[in-house]
Amino acid sequence: MIKTSVKAYDVLKHKTDCLILFSPENKPAGLLKQIDSLLNGALTAAFKAKRFEGKLNQTFQQSVRGLMGADSIIVVGLGKSKDIKEEQIRQAAGTAAKSAESSRYQKMAFSLDSRDAGKPGKAKNSKSGHPVAGAIMEGAQLGLYHFDQYKSIDQDDPLSRIKEITLLAPGKPQVRAYQKGVDQAGKLCEAVIATRDLMHHPSNTATPTFLAKAAQSMARQHKITCKILEKKDMQKLKMGSLLGVAKGSHEPPKFIVLEYKGGKAKDPPVVIVGKGVTFDTGGISLKPGAGMDEMKFDMSGGAVTIGTLQAAASLKLKVNVVGIVPATENMPGGSAIKPGDILTASNGKTIEVLNTDAEGRLILADALVYAQRYKPRALIDLATLTGAVIMALGHQAAAAVGTDSKLIKKLSESGDTTGERLWELPLYEEFEKATKSDIADLKNIASKGVGAGTITGAAFLKPFTGDYPWVHLDIAGTAWTSNEKPYVPKGGSGYGVRLLIDYLKNLQS
Ligand code: BES
Ligand code: MN
Ligand code: ZN
């Protein structure tokens, strides 16, 4: 972890390798104007030449050795003042942090002079501390994420990493609120980072057993309960759908159940269910070879579920939350299910498996049935379920399909706040009809010509959700990225942890 701290200190004299200043899309004012004159108008000149105009994520780097306490400064753009919200600050902080790191600096400080920063939305919950301080730390820590556990370190040229981030508060009175914001962001980022780590491990490390152990050790550290159902337990519960998928693999499946009780004992929990396919070969309906390595991320929903429970517990949210992760590989072994096979799920519904590559919905079916025993106030599942969602929404938003428009609205608001956006797709009756089988209750791929693969995937899940308010989030496009974003480096994003924590925070009180 990167060391973080808050100091009330003179920005001009603060000693650090690299000082970051934010600038909206206007000519230098306030503190920036002061710095501009120290630099003989270098910043004004950059504005004039359109080298730097304060556009979002634009940067201006300059050595200030001898002129200021810092060795160099990076001014990073926030865009138009009226558009500056927490998301713009997160992005700019991520951009600046990465830029400082690539210049091989190790210590950095952020200054957020209130006159230069615009007015981001007020914190809904003052317990979260200063929203801008939190947004800066989130952007920086998440932007600086690396997964190099499998790399040998070159002793002569070690990887250059930011080791320390200081936030400079405008004055003593602000330090407490800033510190609170930094602490909360730190806990949240730790959970997102743990989630990303789980995602990045290759499937020969991150087996269902590994996921179950990770959940157990997280639960021990955060004083939440963790129960692992083994294959024989799943057999007792008649989870034929999940067990059907697991049949093709030598790795034993695990069914992970995490319970965090931050609310009143009798309050019904929010239940989060995450797809935990630790590798998806497609099974007998084998996937093509190109890009198959990405299917190690097919447990993203499960990792996000574990990460969300971690964050909820470490932030001591006053809500009850349950996390459920059905974990298995999808392999084409000798005992694997074959197209045409019929499975019986734990609620007795029979499923004709027409494509073994539509395995996510098969394992979620039994997990959603299990979730009903908690009588959830909200049932949310996250799954890298369909490639089709990438056709619909690219990598910019998850698809939300469900039975409760209020729940979708709340989640969607949290999506806008956190930058982890979602977009609703309609669950028309026609799509539900398309999942009815000729010879069983359901079939795991919809009838030909229906289209809307993401919605028919969700429609298949609906019969397993009871009458509970339910929403399915298809995160196949957002769980990982091959084009990095300001605070999401290439690879696993951890999409969903920050979204769900914001949603859960809003449920408190
Ligand atoms: N894990 C995949 C979905 C996926 C595809 C995630 C691409 C990320 C990128 C899922 O299990 C799957 O294979 N879905 C099939 C469903 C189809 C057979 C109905 C798909 O999307 O092709
Ligand atoms: Mn698949
Ligand atoms: Zn899959």
Side-chain angles (χ1 to χ4, degrees):
M1 278 305 267
I2 300 166
K3 202 176 142 204
T4 60
S5 60
V6 177
K7 283 191 186 121
Y9 206 72
D10 187 339
V11 172
L12 301 179
K13 293 196 183 125
H14 180 74
K15 282 206 176 356
T16 183
D17 293 347
C18 188
L19 173 72
I20 314 296
L21 300 139
F22 293 94
S23 167
E25 217 177 295
N26 334 326
K27 294 229 164 63
L31 178 64
L32 284 175
K33 202 170 169 186
Q34 245 177 298
I35 292 174
D36 187 41
S37 34
L38 272 177
L39 300 178
N40 290 319
L43 201 50
T44 317
F47 259 89
K48 279 211 182 109
K50 298 191 181 300
R51 273 181 281 126
F52 176 83
E53 299 171 282
K55 295 211 163 90
L56 182 60
N57 293 318
Q58 216 179 12
T59 57
F60 169 88
Q61 186 165 351
Q62 166 108 12
S63 165
V64 292
R65 183 175 282 248
L67 298 169
M68 289 173 63
D71 189 73
S72 84
I73 59 164
I74 294 176
V75 185
V76 61
L78 287 172
K80 294 203 167 53
S81 289
K82 65 172 175 41
D83 298 332
I84 301 172
K85 300 211 174 65
E86 281 171 50
E87 172 63 10
Q88 284 66 34
I89 293 172
R90 262 192 305 269
Q91 288 194 15
T95 303
K98 286 191 294 189
S99 167
E101 192 173 73
S102 63
S103 303
R104 302 189 77 88
Y105 289 121
Q106 299 197 346
K107 288 183 186 170
M108 64 188 295
F110 283 94
S111 157
L112 195 95
D113 186 284
S114 51
R115 287 163 300 178
D116 300 330
K119 283 200 187 75
K122 263 199 190 143
K124 278 177 232 135
N125 193 333
S126 61
K127 280 185 218 139
S128 301
H130 197 288
V132 176
I136 292 176
M137 285 305 189
E138 271 180 38
Q141 292 182 84
L142 298 178
L144 294 172
Y145 175 78
H146 300 279
F147 185 75
D148 25 52
Q149 295 179 33
Y150 292 83
K151 275 188 188 155
S152 325
I153 310 258
D154 181 345
Q155 297 302 337
D156 298 327
D157 185 21
L159 302 164
S160 182
R161 297 286 185 249
I162 295 285
K163 302 216 162 65
E164 208 179 307
I165 305 175
T166 308
L167 197 60
L168 300 175
K172 277 247 162 67
Q174 286 93 339
V175 169
R176 251 181 88 123
Y178 270 52
Q179 187 64 54
K180 186 101 197 182
V182 169
D183 291 346
Q184 301 262 316
K187 286 173 179 162
L188 185 55
C189 290
E190 222 177 300
V192 175
I193 287 166
T195 304
R196 288 182 180 175
D197 282 350
L198 282 178
M199 293 170 68
H200 281 100
H201 281 296
S203 77
N204 60 336
T205 301
T207 58
T209 305
F210 178 92
L211 267 195
K213 285 195 178 136
Q216 275 172 320
S217 83
M218 182 283 284
R220 263 194 301 276
Q221 276 174 46
H222 295 276
K223 299 202 177 83
I224 63 185
T225 59
C226 178
K227 188 164 64 180
I228 309 293
L229 305 188
E230 305 293 337
K231 190 172 162 191
K232 60 177 189 326
D233 305 310
M234 298 175 219
Q235 281 163 341
K236 266 186 217 143
L237 290 165
K238 299 192 160 43
M239 295 181 163
S241 192
L242 165 58
L243 286 167
V245 175
K247 269 176 74 183
S249 169
H250 289 301
E251 287 293 337
K254 302 279 168 176
F255 192 91
I256 304 164
V257 184
L258 292 159
E259 294 177 7
Y260 165 67
K261 296 192 179 80
K264 296 195 190 83
K266 279 191 184 148
D267 284 354
V270 171
V271 179
I272 301 164
V273 176
K275 171 176 172 182
V277 172
T278 58
F279 197 82
D280 182 10
T281 65
I284 295 297
S285 316
L286 196 65
K287 284 186 183 295
M292 203 205 268
D293 57 291
E294 289 190 342
M295 287 302 137
K296 72 171 184 180
F297 289 120
D298 213 18
M299 35 58 77
S300 297
V304 168
T305 302
I306 298 169
T308 302
L309 269 282
Q310 171 178 332
S314 74
L315 292 167
K316 300 196 168 60
L317 300 190
K318 291 191 173 62
V319 279
N320 295 333
V321 192
V322 173
I324 298 176
V325 183
T328 178
E329 282 187 333
N330 185 24
M331 294 286 285
S335 315
I337 46 167
K338 305 168 287 297
D341 286 2
I342 295 180
L343 303 173
T344 307
S346 43
N347 63 349
K349 290 213 187 306
T350 54
I351 303 161
E352 186 186 10
V353 179
L354 289 174
N355 188 322
T356 66
D357 197 11
E359 84 297 340
R361 61 198 77 182
L362 295 175
I363 72 166
L364 289 174
D366 281 325
L368 290 167
V369 171
Y370 190 90
Q372 291 182 38
R373 68 177 60 202
Y374 291 99
K375 302 189 169 49
R377 67 189 283 187
L379 177 53
I380 303 166
D381 77 74
L382 297 104
T384 46
L385 208 74
T386 64
V389 77
I390 305 171
M391 296 294 140
L393 300 168
H395 302 276
Q396 304 307 327
V401 191
T403 51
D404 192 279
S405 52
K406 273 194 207 135
L407 175 58
I408 294 177
K409 187 162 176 277
K410 278 190 196 161
L411 282 168
S412 158
E413 282 166 7
S414 290
D416 293 338
T417 311
T418 57
E420 295 189 332
R421 293 175 294 196
L422 50 101
W423 196 257
E424 185 178 4
L425 300 179
L427 188 48
Y428 298 135
E429 220 181 291
E430 287 84 347
F431 296 127
E432 292 180 53
K433 282 214 185 93
T435 64
K436 303 279 180 266
S437 157
D438 292 336
I439 62 163
D441 298 332
L442 293 160
K443 55 186 176 190
N444 79 332
I445 55 169
S447 314
K448 271 221 169 81
V450 174
T454 300
I455 310 180
T456 55
F460 174 91
L461 299 175
K462 192 182 158 196
F464 301 96
T465 59
D467 286 327
Y468 295 98
W470 159 71
V471 61
H472 157 70
L473 297 178
D474 194 328
I475 58 170
T478 48
W480 71 90
T481 170
S482 28
N483 305 315
E484 72 174 286
K485 297 180 185 171
Y487 59 93
V488 187
K490 273 183 202 170
S493 64
Y495 172 100
V497 176
R498 292 185 308 109
L499 164 75
L500 291 172
I501 290 300
D502 188 74
Y503 161 76
L504 292 169
K505 267 189 184 169
N506 293 340
L507 289 184
Q508 295 180 117
S509 76

